[in-house]
Amino acid sequence: SIAVKTIPGWYVASIRQLIAATILLVYLIKTDSLKWVSPSYFFRQFLLAVFLIVIANGFTTLAEKTVPSGLAALINSASPLLVFVGSAILGYQKPTLVGFLGIVLGMIGVVFLFRDGVSGLLIPEYRSGIILLGMAITGWAIGTIYSKRNTELSKGIFHDLFYQFSIAGILQFFLALQFSGKADVASWSSESMLATLYLAIFGSIGG
């Protein structure tokens, strides 16, 4: 929420991914790990970038402009349940009572920790942010379930993330130009820029 105080959400999302991609590119070059990829590999990384980063991360970033962090955490807690149900329906995961109860208990714990945010679900001013968060967790669930397919195409976590961050960063930059207009860098505070850098290092790479 600090990053989006003075920087438009799509610019925050784009910049953090491009910074993370640059860091990983340096690492891959130094370790001689950067590989030429096949169309099928690129297509897989493209879809993962769209669902897990552009939609999930991007929409969450936009929602943080209007939705309190407690309410955002409350809604995001439904993500594991969506993945569990979706994986079970598609046959990627065998549904078990223990697994289901574990997820439900986790959600109950989040609701208890952020119980003050429950009332926010009924506040009209948060409606657009809540919708964005709903789309975000749906995108994350779809991307997570899809990632269970064709795992043999992976070339290592850092290599995969480099492509995902690069693709997402470029797509989000064009979305920023489309919806936020030309970047007014002079109006960006140092606090927001440092927060964006923090998100790139500890959120994108470290997360």
Side-chain angles (χ1 to χ4, degrees), residues 106-183:
M107 291 180 63
I108 292 174
V110 173
V111 170
F112 177 77
L113 290 173
F114 298 100
R115 55 190 178 278
D116 293 337
V118 175
S119 59
L121 292 169
L122 303 176
I123 299 177
E125 288 79 6
Y126 296 160
R127 189 169 300 156
S128 61
I130 292 171
I131 292 173
L132 286 172
L133 284 172
M135 295 171 67
I137 64 173
T138 301
W140 187 85
I142 293 172
T144 301
I145 294 170
Y146 176 75
S147 68
K148 300 176 185 293
R149 297 181 55 189
N150 301 324
T151 54
E152 71 278 359
L153 290 175
S154 175
K155 294 185 181 299
I157 183 64
F158 292 132
H159 196 277
D160 293 353
L161 287 178
F162 163 69
Y163 273 89
Q164 291 173 30
F165 291 156
S166 299
I167 293 168
I170 293 171
L171 292 177
Q172 289 172 326
F173 178 74
F174 284 111
L175 288 171
L177 292 176
Q178 178 67 32
F179 295 106
S180 303
K182 186 178 179 181

Side-chain angles (χ1 to χ4, degrees), residues 4 7 13 25 30 37-38 60 75 77 85 120 138 159 163 166 191 206:
V4 296
I7 305 176
L25 177 61
K30 282 186 171 294
V37 299
S38 64
T60 298
I75 296 173
S77 69
V85 173
T138 301
H159 196 277
Y163 273 89
S166 299
E191 184 182 36

